Amino acid sequence: MLKRLTALFLSVCFSGATGLAIAEEVALDSAFGSGGLVTTELGAGIDTATSIAVQDDGMIIVAGSSDNGLGSKMAVVRYLPDGSIDHEFSFSMGGSLGTVYGDDAVQAVVLRDDGQILLGGTLTVDGVRQGAVVSLLPYGQLDVNFGVGGIASVDVGDVDSEIYDVIVDAAGRIVVTGFVADGGVENPFIARFNGNGEPDSGFQEAGTLVDTLVEGRGTGLAELADGSVIVGGYSIRDGEWKGLYLGRYLENGDPDDQFGDGGRSVWFDDVEQIAVHDIALSADEKIILAGDVETADGRQRIMLARYGKEGQPDPGFGENGILVYDSGMDSSVNSLVVNADSTIIAAGYQTSATGKDMLIIRYLPGAAAEEPVDIIESAADTDMPEDEPVEIFRISALSIEDGPLNIPVADQVVRTPEADLITTELAGSDEVGNAVLMTEDGSIYTAGYSGDDDNSAFMVARYSGLVGEGLSVDSGTPSVSEFYRIGTMPVTNVTRVAAMTGGTIALNGNPDSAVCVEACDESCEDAEDNTTCLSECRENCQIPTVTQRGVVYSVEPNPVYDDDDGTTDSGGDTDDMTTSVTDETGTDTGDDTALGTSNFFSFDDYFVKNGQTEDGSGADSYVSEIEGINPQTVYYVRAYGLLSDGTIIYGNEYRFRTDDSCFIATAAFGSIDMFAVKALRSFRDRYLMPYEWGRQIVHTYYVLSPTIADLVEQSFFLRLLIILLLTPAVVSAVFLVYTTLLMKCVVIVAVPLAWYFIAFHKKHYRIVHA
């Protein structure tokens, strides 16, 4: 709670507008997932999200890799706008696209105009890593009409290759970059495919160019207005020392001789290694790079750079085109986006005493100098000592007390005139941001992982605060009515069946000098004795009192107070801040919920659709406890106040999602983090929730299991019995969830055959010995 209040305090203190579609406050969006974060465990080991895209309907595509015990496989998850998993998205081919053994992964995801989804990454086939683009239909099915069976592979011969980034150019062609590894030497490459996945014969001879003049990797792509393509990444000297690498390629795939030196800009610093992880273009087509610099002792610092489209470092951006941010701890950025006003948003991580924390840095650069320079000066060419890195400025962290496990917090870090830095952590684990994007409404999404070296999960976060002009994002600002202002407290302590929130009601300024004076002036305007009329009117002017307060909640937006006579209805579609009712206010509704006839066979009759709390009266702050709601459900909540004049006022709205749990299994195995519980939950999500009959089973289970779970939890013998009874289900779930399609097919065929041969030999034995 302390961390949340501190983060809220910081958000308020640092809030404000800079005037160019950008706001000062950047904070976790409580309407997304649990406090702004979603973690999804897919496999038995390391699950890592590396890329993210948001569809026009608000659906969120997150891709990366998941460890199934035999190797990592391509993994894609689609989330609903509130952060819950979209079970209608049916990507399940990640475990069978490559071979059973070997590592496969997605490094980039891009959406096409027709709704199809492109995944760029690596598939292992016969022991060789192949750079590949996989095409999915909008609902996750493999697009068999793309490439060969849905896959387009980079043609570089029988050597290892990997794709790091994918874009769709203005002509609808697919451009990729990455690296080829042959004999221990890595070279960047660029390749282009037609829209159907066939190599583009108009790009070099076979659609691929391997840059053998540079040793290194291509990690980012961007297309210029003239159709040429920029590749960014890092070069390698002497087999290990990293330096900055940029290349520009023409329509036919040839290096552009007008860019840098023969189409390339390569620079090594003798003091620090430089690694570029991503690139983007500003509105004026400046090339923005993000990554890290590493000292000889292995310490990493954030690096941002800006180059002109001709390949020269931009001296108007920091020192010789490069900015180095030293937060005092190891840190790096892996992905970036550039806003319309050239604000740079980059995501990565920062190492603290407790591990890695996901990091977002926001930087608004100054204007570029008119004359570019031809080279970047190293530290050895400046007046600084050679062992001192060029340091633009230092960002020092604001210390905030650690919170309990799984409680996210956005730690606002001390800002400079040019940049902000935000870290997000979950206690007891590492958090790393590998991808970042910003939507038109100003929301920032990041994707990465949360966990440790042995076990991690996809982590997706949404931040609000960068609000586009004419749009708004709820940031907790109190609403204002005629007499009072009311605000809803952020939702905290969310469990599977409960949550905590509240509200604040305060007088709106001085009503005596505002509302009452205005009303009396109007009513006494034609009075014979205006002075006496005004005096008496103002003396008798009564401000309504708050007779009841609390919160209302519903599975539909804009929940409203229910006075039990049908005049109001939860989930109404009104957005007004006040609602008038005709009967007496103060009806005692307590925590009544909208239940049906308690038909055991109908889950809807047990499903809590809406409700409200009563938390005293008067204008003050108060706490509301929401109890008895359903697990794995999104609710909307806002504060309300009943006034003595029959008016109802409402605060701003928050969304939250209750936790998900296998009640009986959790009680038996002792923790929701036990592998058996995770396997059962994964089986439920993958094999039951996508179907109506499966959802009905899950819903019925939610009705019955809490009472049974309470009994199981209190008895050692019942726990042991349930573990024994659940063991076959756990084994089946592990088999279905964590094994590949090929292994499933082998087992399905082998078991009946084995059974047949055993039965046959037994029958034969009896006949022979009869």
Side-chain angles (χ1 to χ4, degrees), residues 18 21-27 337 339 341 343-345 360-362 420 437-444 463-469 471-473:
T18 60
I22 202 127
E24 291 291 342
E25 179 190 354
V26 180
V337 292
N339 200 27
D341 63 358
T343 299
I344 299 167
I345 308 293
I360 294 178
I361 186 168
R362 180 175 66 173
D420 331 326
L437 64 81
M438 187 166 63
T439 55
E440 291 183 357
D441 68 355
S443 296
I444 301 172
Y463 299 81
S464 61
L466 296 182
V467 183
E469 187 175 1
L471 300 172
S472 63
V473 174

Side-chain angles (χ1 to χ4, degrees), residues 63-81:
S65 61
S66 176
D67 186 358
N68 67 355
L70 300 175
S72 62
K73 298 302 173 186
M74 286 186 168
V76 186
V77 179
R78 186 164 74 178
Y79 298 91
L80 300 175

Side-chain angles (χ1 to χ4, degrees), residues 169 173-175 190-194 198-200 202-203 207 251:
D169 67 13
R173 298 166 301 197
I174 303 162
V175 186
I190 181 171
R192 193 168 73 199
F193 299 91
N194 294 319
E198 296 178 353
D200 185 354
F203 189 86
E251 177 79 9

Side-chain angles (χ1 to χ4, degrees), residues 747-758:
V747 172
I748 290 172
V749 172
V751 169
L753 286 177
W755 183 271
Y756 170 78
F757 281 115
I758 291 173

Side-chain angles (χ1 to χ4, degrees), residues 44 93 161 176 186 296 493 507 512 630 687 693:
M93 300 298 293
S161 62
V176 302
E186 297 178 350
N493 297 343
L507 284 172
D512 286 331
N630 293 89
Y687 293 98
W693 59 268

